[in-house]
Amino acid sequence: MATYPTLSANVAQAFAPGRVNLIGEHTDYNGGLALPFAIGSGVTVTAAGADGDRVEVHAADLNERDSFSAASPARIHGWRAYVRGAFAVLAQAGTRPGGASITIRSDLPRGVGVSSSAALGVALCLALTELAAEPPLDPLATARVCQTIEQTWAGAETGLLDQLASLHGAAGAATLIDFQDLSVKQVPLTLDGHSLVLLDSGPRPPGATAAYNRRRQECEAAAARVGAQDLRGALFQDLHMLPDVLARRARHVIGENGRVLEAVHALERGDLTTLGALLDASHASLRDNFDVSTPTVEDAVRRLKDAGALGARLMGAGFGGSVLGLLPLDAAMPTGAVAVRPCDGARLLTQSALP
Ligand code: GLA
């Protein structure tokens, strides 16, 4: 039984949703484009101030706990790394909430590619900044803190897609993010007679993070070889300068950026047939150029297509996780598929009691 420090009256609570990425995969860390949206499920963090330096954490859904020093959290793996990392990275930015008692609740499935870890980071960042009685960080600064937690505490060299999608979510719209200038624009997501569904293809293997980091290095190497700052600045006609693997990585990123813009135009026209074809093309490129599909992912894509999907593609990093499909509303959903729709983004639920 954990003993909890004496609580002060100071409590802050924040919610951050998971995300679905409609299209634009492995583009964020290449200065590219993506079109994600926040979903209704997410992570809620309740943080109560406590005297002293001890932080006690309860992950209610897992019924697991952690306890550490707010001023000098030690390294650890798993969900605990995100909480300790939040204290460490926020402290570097001048935000020190001090001792606290924290409860984490989540209705997001973990490890299926809907960004449960980014949602945890964002909810922690919002709640702990409020608890420290600091002015809220803007969404980009929040996303950057969370990215640093992900990179330096969880070892995943991720981009800013998941955090920005969670922070900018808006009911009824997908968020077009340009990772070159980090601008965002809401794009109404009207799916007349259709719905977007997720079908879990199974867990990612242990080596998935290392494989993701390798993809990022390959993209950076490809950009350097064609003399571009990042692959946003590369062109199809540059690809002949590259060895096969790097050429395929770059081909995916250049093509995917184009597909994001085409998807925005298709949505503006209400052209769901084209949107479906773009999802299929994105998947084919992720499989054949980026090499991030697996037999179980292919099986999930096939099940969605057999059910009548206009398009289906692997979502997120790949190597497993959720597959996204665009299905007519009257189609029989494959067993295990769940419908998703755009919802509002991350927010504070309870303000701290301090002035
Ligand atoms: C993961 C990462 C994101 C992004 C996607 C691929 O979700 O966290 O930053 O790179 O993979 O699009």
Side-chain angles (χ1 to χ4, degrees):
M1 201 48 194
T3 40
Y4 281 85
T6 322
L7 299 185
S8 66
N10 194 17
V11 178
Q13 189 175 52
F15 168 79
R19 65 99 186 94
V20 157
N21 192 14
L22 182 56
I23 196 161
E25 219 64 89
H26 289 277
T27 50
D28 61 345
Y29 54 83
N30 288 302
L33 299 165
L35 190 60
F37 59 86
I39 58 177
S41 314
V43 176
T44 302
V45 166
T46 308
D51 295 336
D53 173 61
R54 221 56 222 157
V55 181
E56 303 288 347
V57 193
H58 182 207
D61 312 291
L62 305 172
N63 201 18
E64 290 176 3
R65 293 174 191 274
D66 193 20
S67 173
F68 59 90
S69 152
S72 52
R75 294 273 161 186
I76 197 161
H77 292 294
W79 65 268
R80 293 175 178 86
Y82 289 85
V83 190
R84 295 184 185 199
F87 275 79
V89 177
L90 282 171
Q92 284 156 15
T95 297
R96 292 183 179 80
S101 173
I102 295 175
T103 305
I104 302 166
R105 289 178 203 284
S106 169
D107 59 355
L108 271 180
R110 299 199 314 155
V112 300
V114 287
S115 295
S116 54
S117 60
L120 173 58
V122 170
L124 281 163
C125 198
L126 296 185
L128 294 177
T129 304
E130 175 69 13
L131 190 68
E134 294 286 344
L137 296 171
D138 65 37
L140 183 55
T142 304
R144 286 202 158 116
V145 165
C146 297
Q147 182 190 32
T148 305
I149 297 169
E150 195 84 55
Q151 294 187 344
T152 58
W153 282 76
E157 294 294 322
T158 56
L160 288 164
L161 168 73
D162 308 336
Q163 295 85 0
L164 288 177
S166 178
L167 284 154
H168 285 288
T175 307
L176 174 63
I177 307 175
D178 183 330
F179 293 95
Q180 194 160 55
D181 60 10
L182 293 162
S183 59
V184 297
K185 183 184 159 209
Q186 303 297 356
V187 176
L189 190 58
T190 310
L191 296 175
D192 230 10
H194 294 75
S195 68
L196 287 163
V197 303
L198 294 182
L199 182 60
D200 183 17
S201 73
R204 298 196 159 100
T209 300
Y212 176 94
N213 292 347
R214 208 157 47 241
R215 296 299 181 284
R216 183 173 183 149
Q217 287 158 10
E218 288 163 350
C219 289
E220 287 166 1
R225 284 213 191 195
V226 301
Q229 197 192 331
D230 55 37
L231 285 180
R232 182 69 175 276
L235 302 167
F236 282 123
Q237 59 260 38
D238 294 333
L239 298 183
H240 69 93
M241 293 187 245
L242 298 172
D244 174 60
V245 169
L246 300 193
R248 287 190 292 115
R249 304 300 185 248
R251 184 178 303 285
H252 167 73
V253 174
I254 298 167
E256 188 78 349
N257 286 333
R259 284 186 286 274
V260 172
L261 292 178
E262 286 184 58
V264 170
H265 296 142
L267 281 170
E268 284 165 356
R269 296 194 305 273
D271 179 355
L272 297 184
T273 307
T274 298
L275 181 64
L278 290 164
L279 298 185
D280 284 344
S282 170
H283 181 73
S285 178
L286 286 159
R287 182 191 58 218
D288 301 336
N289 292 321
F290 226 67
D291 296 317
V292 290
S293 190
T294 63
T296 54
V297 168
E298 292 306 310
D299 190 52
V301 168
R302 208 168 307 117
R303 286 173 61 207
L304 284 164
K305 296 289 286 184
D306 287 349
L310 277 63
R313 66 174 203 85
L314 73 80
M315 203 182 68
F319 314 107
S322 285
V323 169
L324 176 71
L326 176 63
L327 274 180
L329 280 177
D330 57 7
M333 289 216 275
T335 312
V338 287
V340 282
R341 63 189 174 82
C343 295
D344 285 336
R347 57 203 173 265
L348 275 176
L349 300 176
T350 310
Q351 309 279 308
S352 105
L354 287 179

